[in-house]
Amino acid sequence: MIRLTYRIETPGSVEAMAAKIASDQSTGTFVALPGETEELKARVAARVVAVRPLPATDRASFPDEAGGHARFNRADVDIDFPMDAVGTDLSALMTIAIGGVFSIKGMTGIRIVDMKLPQAFAAAHAGPQFGVAGSFALTGVKDRPIIGTIVKPALGLRPHETAEMVGDLIKAGVDFVKDDEKLMSPAYSPLKERVAAIMPLILDHEQKTGKKVMYAFGISHADPDEMMRNHDMVLQAGGNCAVVNINSIGFGGLAFLRKRSGLVLHAHRNGWDILTRHAGLGFEFSVWQQFWRLLGIDQFQINGIRVKYWEPDESFVRSYKAVSTPLFAEKDVALPVIGSGQWGGQAPDTIKATGGSTNLLYLCGGGIVSHPGGPGAGVKAVRQAWEAAVAGMPLEAYAKDHPELAQSIAKFADGKGA
């Protein structure tokens, strides 16, 4: 059985609505059909297996569906779907167990809050190719987070200018650099020219020091063949990582890419907010991320502590735990990528949130490239912040002997934007 947990909100009976979801999304029809036997229903019908009541609310998540009611009943409901009815195809799972649920009448709110898949899904999907262990091995990082930064389109850098900045970051000891999700192949910085300008610097540094900085190039494209050409361009130039905008390329695009990929696949989740921002509607990240990990994502961006966007810290903590928890085995865990307004000041709180783990990629945009001493000093400041956090030392105390961190605190602390 495949188990979905729905958070149902309705002015009527939650139990009746749960039964309707199970019926409508499996064997239910508007009228009786020939051949719709009890044996068929027993074999492929979804079943309600648990209803856990929650406190009622006086505000409808779908206000237009309230119908004059002032009380809306809520419960978490477990519904099991037989494998015979769904199989292991993720598009079938999304369609049957999730996609059609939101169109059912009578609910004022519905949210998918949990999903448990049987072992058959592990064998049916490739999963991460590199994951956590591969990401650390390729960057040569041990016993601390991978420290990275972002090339922002807002900077308007042309390929040779981007390469100059990347050169400074490499010299400063950065582990990882990525194209912003919006930086794919614009006219001012075509991907081909960006690869040609950046990869020689990375390869030269590797030859001299043995350390290969991981650069994630933006290869996303709606045409899977064009995306593969972008992938091949990066791989042939000696690159080892790519940014993919997973909502934009879809299940099929990612599955196509993963089967042929030789690159670490770094997922940007732009668009996920549409699916989750209303607490009574959409998805929990813990459900949604399972699809993408099964399809082969190695690194997963999940925001961080005190981000510049809407997401509260407790949501980040749930996302971190979701990505870090095996679906079936340790090899299917994706590397959590912590970003959005990070500058090093969040390192102590982040390590508390992760239970002391440093198995993560700590991604700073402005927190590195906008450092008063330049991007190189920004890298050093973030490294210093994590050294202090791992040692359990207050950042201000550590900054007394580390000027880059002191400059970073002066510029970004107390809610100043990074």
Side-chain angles (χ1 to χ4, degrees), residues 343-345 367-368 371-372 377-378 381-382 403-413:
W343 59 275
I368 284 180
H371 189 280
V382 175
E404 293 86 3
L405 179 57
Q407 286 181 299
S408 194
I409 291 171
K411 178 161 186 177
F412 299 123

Side-chain angles (χ1 to χ4, degrees), residues 136 141 144-150 174-178 266 299 301 303-306 316 335-351 354 358-365 367-368 378-379 381-383 385-386 389 395 408 418:
F136 276 91
V141 173
R144 64 168 177 82
I146 298 169
I147 304 299
T149 190
I150 311 162
V174 77
D175 306 309
F176 177 96
V177 186
K178 70 175 284 287
H266 177 109
Q299 302 175 351
Q301 286 196 223
N303 283 336
I305 297 288
R306 296 190 296 281
F316 154 71
L335 180 69
V337 181
I338 295 174
S340 178
Q342 307 298 294
W343 59 275
Q346 299 97 324
D349 289 335
T350 301
I351 202 167
T354 66
T358 55
N359 279 348
L360 56 95
L361 196 168
Y362 194 71
L363 199 56
C364 306
I368 284 180
V379 174
V382 175
R383 288 278 296 271
W386 272 96
L395 297 189
S408 194

